[in-house]
Amino acid sequence: TQLLEQSPQFLSIQEGENLTVYCNSSSVFSSLQWYRQEPGEGPVLLVTVVTGGEVKKLKRLTFQFGDARKDSSLHITAAQTGDTGLYLCAGLNYGGATNKLIFGTGTLLAVQP
Amino acid sequence: DAGVIQSPRHEVTEMGQEVTLRCKPISGHDYLFWYRQTMMRGLELLIYFNNNVPIDDSGMPEDRFSAKMPNASFSTLKIQPSEPRDSAVYFCASSPSGRGTGELFFGEGSRLTVL
């Protein structure tokens, strides 16, 4: 069974701080996505990374795909209370069935004012 | 455009009762997924369809669970009989074909509580 481990599991920080969330696996993925989920809602896609070593920026969020396509990181600069939520990485099974995503264990982020 | 629509949003039932969850995917999306989310196990894929045909149901926990997709705009997930350990949030998601990157669009979920 493929596993995507995220760390940390929980993170509570003050507004304005920086943070990094990690997503690691022993498996290779053809692409990797990051989602954010707010209470009472479904996950919403933030970004998809496809190429090993790829870096994508979304305002204050920076996403990186590992060179070997086994891991990824999400860095948030100057966190805001609106960044609070559950962050999920999800990998597309390399060589497997189309669109079958494996979701990570999740990182619950709380940004305090 | 309307997103993925799920109903009911909340369901409380007693052990042994039948539960039916419903989903309307985004129009034009060829893939439909049912996921279950719990604190202990996170998001688990139960089953997914492509063009209304079940492709992979290896995540369906037991024979008590069944899913159907009679047409491109409607799917159901049924639990019969329900048990307390089925309590979770059930998400439906759809995805367009041809992208190759598996991007999912989720509904708001159906929170099921089995007493």
Side-chain angles (χ1 to χ4, degrees), chain B residues 28-45:
Chain B
H29 282 192
D30 294 338
Y31 289 85
L32 184 139
F33 304 79
W34 283 100
Y35 281 86
R36 177 172 68 178
Q37 186 176 40
T38 60
M39 287 290 292
M40 292 298 295
R41 301 174 69 90
L43 259 177
E44 300 174 281
L45 177 63

Side-chain angles (χ1 to χ4, degrees), chain B residues 97-115:
Chain B
S97 63
R99 289 197 181 188
T101 54
E103 300 169 25
L104 301 185
F105 297 80
F106 283 83
E108 293 184 312
S110 294
R111 180 175 294 275
L112 173 65
T113 302
V114 183
L115 303 174

Side-chain angles (χ1 to χ4, degrees), chain B residues 41-94:
Chain B
R41 301 174 69 90
L43 259 177
E44 300 174 281
L45 177 63
L46 300 177
I47 185 171
Y48 81 95
F49 297 82
N50 182 19
N51 291 321
N52 312 339
V53 176
I55 302 301
D56 187 339
D57 66 353
S58 59
M60 296 286 261
E62 299 173 31
D63 291 345
R64 298 184 296 105
F65 285 69
S66 62
K68 293 181 180 180
M69 191 165 186
N71 58 63
S73 59
F74 183 65
S75 176
T76 60
L77 178 67
K78 185 176 294 186
I79 308 172
Q80 167 62 18
S82 58
E83 296 183 3
R85 60 191 167 128
D86 302 331
S87 297
V89 181
Y90 291 81
F91 286 100
C92 176
S94 67

Side-chain angles (χ1 to χ4, degrees), chain A residues 34-46:
Chain A
W34 284 92
Y35 291 79
R36 180 169 66 211
Q37 183 179 15
E38 299 187 12
E41 299 185 6
V44 175
L45 180 68
L46 296 173

Side-chain angles (χ1 to χ4, degrees), chain A:
Chain A
T1 303
Q2 291 179 302
L3 290 175
L4 273 167
E5 298 286 340
Q6 288 185 237
S7 61
Q9 281 187 291
F10 305 99
L11 191 55
S12 181
I13 61 171
Q14 295 295 125
E15 203 168 23
E17 291 184 24
N18 302 333
L19 67 117
T20 302
V21 175
Y22 299 93
C23 173
N24 294 295
S25 175
S26 58
S27 303
V28 176
F29 293 99
S30 56
S31 66
L32 193 137
Q33 300 169 9
W34 284 92
Y35 291 79
R36 180 169 66 211
Q37 183 179 15
E38 299 187 12
E41 299 185 6
V44 175
L45 180 68
L46 296 173
V47 77
T48 300
V49 285
V50 180
T51 306
E54 182 177 3
V55 176
K56 278 193 175 178
K57 291 192 175 185
L58 186 67
K59 296 184 181 177
R60 294 173 296 98
L61 279 60
T62 302
F63 305 85
Q64 184 162 9
F65 202 10
D67 291 341
R69 300 209 306 266
K70 293 183 179 180
D71 55 85
S72 181
S73 64
L74 158 60
H75 182 79
I76 301 179
T77 303
Q80 300 177 357
T81 55
D83 296 327
T84 293
L86 177 67
Y87 288 81
L88 295 160
C89 63
L92 183 64
N93 196 2
Y94 185 78
T98 303
N99 283 351
K100 184 173 178 178
L101 284 177
I102 309 296
F103 275 87
T105 48
T107 294
L108 186 59
L109 171 65
V111 182
Q112 311 295 337

